Amino acid sequence: MQTNPTPPAYTSLVAVGDSFTEGMSDLLPDGSYRGWADVLAARMAARTPGFRYANLAVRGKLIGQIVDEQVEVAAAMNADVVTLVGGLNDTLRPKCDMGRVRGLLTEAVERLAPSCRQLVLMRSPGRQGPVLERFRPRMEELFACVDELAAKHGAVVVDLYGAPALADPRLWDVDRLHLTAEGHRRVAEAVWQTLGYDPEDTDWHIPMPATAPPGWLTRRTADVRFARQHLLPWIGRRLTGRSSGDGRPAKRPDLLPYEDLA
């Protein structure tokens, strides 16, 4: 009789990255964000007494800032699992130097891979629409680098970019940059399975059932709201050299037992 392999006995997780890993826009009642990394940590903690978790991610960070501010800290924690997602913010900048982005991502992987039992990289999801089409070549160049680094350093890659469900605009918040709670849940499931755990949702990558598209007035109202609340402030920060993460501390800076942080 065939039996399932024993689930991995991972005892700690450190998450490194930007707003995607911080958990925007999976908003909790107290105004904080949850996100896929928190959901994943909760699942892992339920299997392993004393499980420890840190989340160093800060919204708005470019790959250079992630390397300077998070990578050494994460490496020093010597966690069983480290997740690294970064570089996508760089690809959205008008004057993005992809050679520099690849070099910094390589530096991060080379430092983190020897420090943990399993490094997890990702091909980030992309929302359908003109923004994805405009920046797709840069994103795919970044993801090709991710694949190459994973093969070289023994990391695993979670392919969210190739998941049809996560391209659905209904899984993205009104800012059109961050996943909803359901989107984050699906990402957590994808990472969970990639780490070797038994699936809790085998259909996470399958698109949601089709619904009637919104009418013209609804779409235009949403466009105006998006421009006023999100696009114009984003442009303003770019013009002034500011970031939404300026002055913000890491989400969960210390590697502590999960129950102490929940």
Side-chain angles (χ1 to χ4, degrees):
M1 180 178 66
Q2 185 176 6
T3 59
N4 291 329
T6 303
Y10 294 127
T11 63
S12 52
L13 167 68
V14 175
V16 174
D18 51 33
S19 60
F20 175 69
T21 301
E22 184 184 344
M24 297 174 70
S25 292
D26 185 1
L27 191 64
L28 294 172
D30 65 0
S32 65
Y33 293 109
R34 180 175 50 186
W36 65 265
D38 284 14
V39 174
L40 176 67
R43 287 191 186 184
M44 297 173 77
R47 283 182 173 267
T48 307
F51 183 84
R52 296 177 299 150
Y53 171 50
N55 190 326
L56 307 180
V58 178
R59 67 194 69 174
K61 294 301 182 181
L62 303 173
I63 186 61
Q65 294 171 309
I66 291 172
V67 169
D68 291 342
E69 301 167 12
Q70 300 178 34
V71 167
E72 286 299 325
V73 177
M77 292 178 175
N78 294 118
D80 281 351
V81 178
V82 175
T83 65
L84 168 63
V85 188
L88 204 61
N89 283 334
D90 297 79
T91 68
L92 301 178
R93 297 294 180 102
K95 297 181 180 179
C96 173
D97 181 347
M98 286 304 299
R100 181 174 183 272
V101 171
R102 293 194 307 272
L104 287 165
L105 184 61
T106 299
E107 180 181 342
V109 170
E110 289 177 345
R111 182 65 185 94
L112 289 172
S115 77
C116 62
R117 285 176 57 193
Q118 185 60 69
L119 179 63
V120 178
L121 306 177
M122 293 190 196
R123 294 162 57 91
S124 303
R127 180 186 186 275
Q128 290 177 349
V131 173
L132 175 63
E133 294 311 314
R134 178 180 179 184
F135 296 105
R136 187 187 295 275
R138 289 179 182 175
M139 292 171 62
E140 293 186 346
E141 183 177 348
L142 175 68
F143 299 155
C145 181
V146 165
D147 290 343
E148 293 169 4
L149 290 169
K152 182 176 180 180
H153 295 279
V156 294
V157 178
V158 184
D159 185 13
L160 306 174
Y161 182 69
L166 294 177
D168 190 329
R170 292 173 295 175
L171 289 180
W172 294 76
D173 192 43
V174 293
D175 67 2
R176 305 181 184 182
L177 288 174
H178 301 106
L179 291 168
T180 62
E182 173 60 14
H184 280 283
R185 185 198 67 79
R186 291 181 184 231
V187 172
E189 179 66 33
V191 183
W192 174 261
Q193 293 184 28
T194 300
L195 286 172
Y197 294 103
D198 291 335
E200 295 189 10
D201 176 12
T202 57
D203 296 334
W204 71 266
H205 59 288
I206 295 177
M208 293 168 29
T211 58
W216 181 90
L217 181 60
T218 300
R219 296 197 307 272
R220 296 293 78 79
T221 300
D223 288 343
V224 170
R225 179 186 177 192
F226 162 71
R228 182 177 64 250
Q229 296 184 0
H230 302 286
L231 181 59
L232 292 178
W234 184 84
I235 292 173
R237 290 194 297 271
R238 299 291 80 74
L239 293 176
T240 57
R242 294 178 292 116
S243 168
S244 58
D246 289 347
R248 289 186 177 273
K251 181 177 182 178
R252 291 179 170 175
D254 300 310
L255 186 60
L256 296 174
Y258 179 81
E259 57 267 24
D260 293 347
L261 299 169

